[in-house]
Amino acid sequence: MKKTMMQIIDGKKISQDLKNELKADVAHFQANTGKVPGLTVIIVGQDPASQVYVRNKAKSCLEIGMHSTVIEMPHDTPQETLLNTIRELNQDPAVHGILVQQPLPKQIDEFAVTLAIDPSKDVDGFHPENLGRLVMGHLDKCFVSCTPYGILELLDRYNIETKGKHCVVVGRSNIVGKPMANLMMQKLDATNCTVTVCHSATRDIPSFTKQADILIAAIGKARFITADMIKPGAVVIDVGINRIEDQSTKSGYRLVGDVDYDGVAALASAITPVPGGVGPMTIAMLLKNTLQSFRRINNL
Ligand code: GUN
C-alpha cells in the first residue's frame, strides 16, 4: 500500500500565528477605545507545575499587549477568602477574564469556585452555564474550554476533513473529554462527526479506537495509545502531558503524551507531537477567550 505523507500538526507554529493575530486585534481595540483586555489568574499554594503554567499564561498576556495580574494565595487559604476575592474580581471593570488555577488545596471545593466566577468572565469555560451553552451549540454565546477549543482550531487550520467521520474521544473529564465529544458531534465546519467516548470502565478500548478516523487521547496515562490500537490513516490528537523518568536528561525526566508517538506516527495521516502539539494551543485560546470577553463587555 502506498503511504501518503504523514503530517505533523505543529501547535507551536499555529499558536504563534494566533498570538500574532490577537496582538494586532488588541492594538486595534486599544487605539479605538484606550482600553486593553485584562486577565487575572489566581494560584493557591505552590504546586511547581501550576506555577510554571501560571507564569506562562502571564507572559503570553504581556506578549500580545494584554494586562495580566497574578494573585498568589497561601496553600491554607480558606475557601471563603478565595470566594470573596473572586466576587471582587467579578465587579472589577478592568478584569475581563478570571482563571483559578487547578488543582486546588483540599480544603477548597473546586465546583464552588467554578460557580462563584461570573460566567461572562469565565475564560476557562468551566462554569455550567458556559458548558451548557456549548452543549446546546451556542458557541458564539459562551466560552469554550481552552484545550478542546485549541484542538478545533488545529483541525480547522490544517483543513482536516471531519464531516461524517468517526471521532473517538478517550477520556471523559469535564475540562477536555466531555466538551470535546460534544463539540465533535455538533454541526460545525470543524466537527460534524459521529462520536464515541471511551473511559476507564470501557470494555475492550482497542476495538473502539481501531474504528477512529479521528482519535483524541485525553486519558492522562503515558503512551497508553499504541500502534495496534490505530486504524491506518487516522488523525491522532494527543492531549496528554505526562512526566516519565529519563536519566539521560538534565532534569531526570521528560514529557510524553498519552500516545506512543513513534509507533503511532508510522500509521497516522496526521498527529500532534508532545510537546509542541495541543499544549501551546491551550494558552493561545485562553488569550482568545479573554479578548472575546473584552469585546462582549465593551460591545465591540
Ligand atoms: N490546570 C491545568 N490546566 C488548567 C486550565 O486549563 N485551567 C485551570 N483553571 N486550571 C488548570
Side-chain angles (χ1 to χ4, degrees):
M1 190 177 73
K2 187 167 166 282
K3 194 172 182 304
T4 50
M5 273 278 285
M6 197 275 290
Q7 206 164 29
I8 296 174
I9 299 175
D10 188 347
K12 203 168 160 196
K13 178 190 178 296
I14 301 293
S15 68
Q16 192 55 56
D17 292 349
L18 189 59
K19 283 200 269 186
N20 293 341
E21 293 162 24
L22 293 170
K23 185 175 181 173
D25 289 343
V26 170
H28 167 79
F29 290 123
Q30 185 173 18
N32 287 337
T33 67
K35 296 190 245 185
V36 292
L39 173 70
T40 297
V41 177
I42 304 177
I43 178 168
V44 185
Q46 301 201 312
D47 176 67
S50 291
Q51 285 175 321
V52 173
Y53 290 138
V54 168
R55 216 177 298 136
N56 287 340
K57 286 169 186 170
K59 195 171 125 235
S60 299
C61 276
L62 300 179
E63 266 170 35
I64 69 157
M66 283 188 182
H67 188 70
S68 156
T69 307
V70 176
I71 298 176
E72 296 179 54
M73 296 182 142
H75 75 278
D76 56 354
T77 299
Q79 177 167 308
E80 203 47 35
T81 306
L82 174 59
L83 295 183
N84 283 333
T85 301
I86 292 170
R87 289 178 194 124
E88 283 167 22
L89 295 170
N90 285 342
Q91 302 300 324
D92 185 340
V95 175
H96 306 94
I98 302 167
L99 182 150
V100 180
Q101 187 68 24
Q102 294 182 0
L104 286 163
K106 59 181 181 318
Q107 76 278 12
I108 297 175
D109 173 7
E110 281 182 353
F111 191 49
V113 170
T114 299
L115 289 176
I117 296 172
D118 181 337
S120 72
K121 297 188 177 185
D122 166 39
V123 286
D124 255 333
F126 293 176
H127 194 287
E129 183 165 330
N130 282 313
L131 190 52
R133 286 174 181 236
L134 179 154
V135 171
M136 296 178 80
H138 299 292
L139 299 195
D140 55 337
K141 296 185 186 67
C142 73
F143 291 111
V144 177
S145 71
C146 300
T147 302
Y149 200 12
I151 292 169
L152 290 195
E153 193 77 26
L154 289 175
L155 294 173
D156 190 37
R157 295 205 184 206
Y158 274 83
N159 293 315
I160 289 168
E161 180 60 69
T162 53
K163 187 176 177 182
K165 297 288 170 84
H166 187 185
C167 174
V168 177
V169 179
V170 190
R172 57 175 158 185
S173 69
N174 289 331
I175 299 181
V176 183
K178 281 182 197 159
M180 192 78 244
N182 273 285
L183 288 163
M184 294 309 289
M185 74 182 193
Q186 288 184 17
K187 201 172 172 185
L188 299 170
D189 287 345
T191 61
N192 225 339
C193 289
T194 302
V195 177
T196 300
V197 180
C198 298
H199 47 74
S200 53
T202 300
R203 288 186 201 161
D204 194 6
I205 290 179
S207 70
F208 295 101
T209 57
K210 271 191 255 178
Q211 295 177 43
D213 301 308
I214 300 170
L215 178 63
I216 301 178
I219 313 136
K221 286 192 181 155
R223 296 188 287 212
F224 181 87
I225 303 287
T226 46
D228 56 318
M229 297 167 75
I230 298 287
K231 174 158 97 175
V235 173
V236 180
I237 307 291
D238 189 351
V239 181
I241 303 175
N242 309 290
R243 269 186 188 200
I244 60 159
E245 248 186 62
D246 184 349
Q247 294 309 332
S248 71
T249 66
K250 213 163 70 181
S251 59
Y253 72 86
R254 70 189 165 95
L255 296 178
V256 297
D258 289 351
V259 173
D260 183 23
Y261 186 86
D262 291 341
V264 171
L267 286 174
S269 62
I271 188 167
T272 60
V274 176
V278 173
M281 292 302 292
T282 300
I283 291 187
M285 303 321 282
L286 175 67
L287 302 175
K288 184 166 171 157
N289 277 347
T290 305
L291 178 66
Q292 183 65 36
S293 174
F294 173 82
R295 292 183 64 169
R296 285 181 189 146
I297 288 171
N298 291 288
N299 295 314
L300 294 167

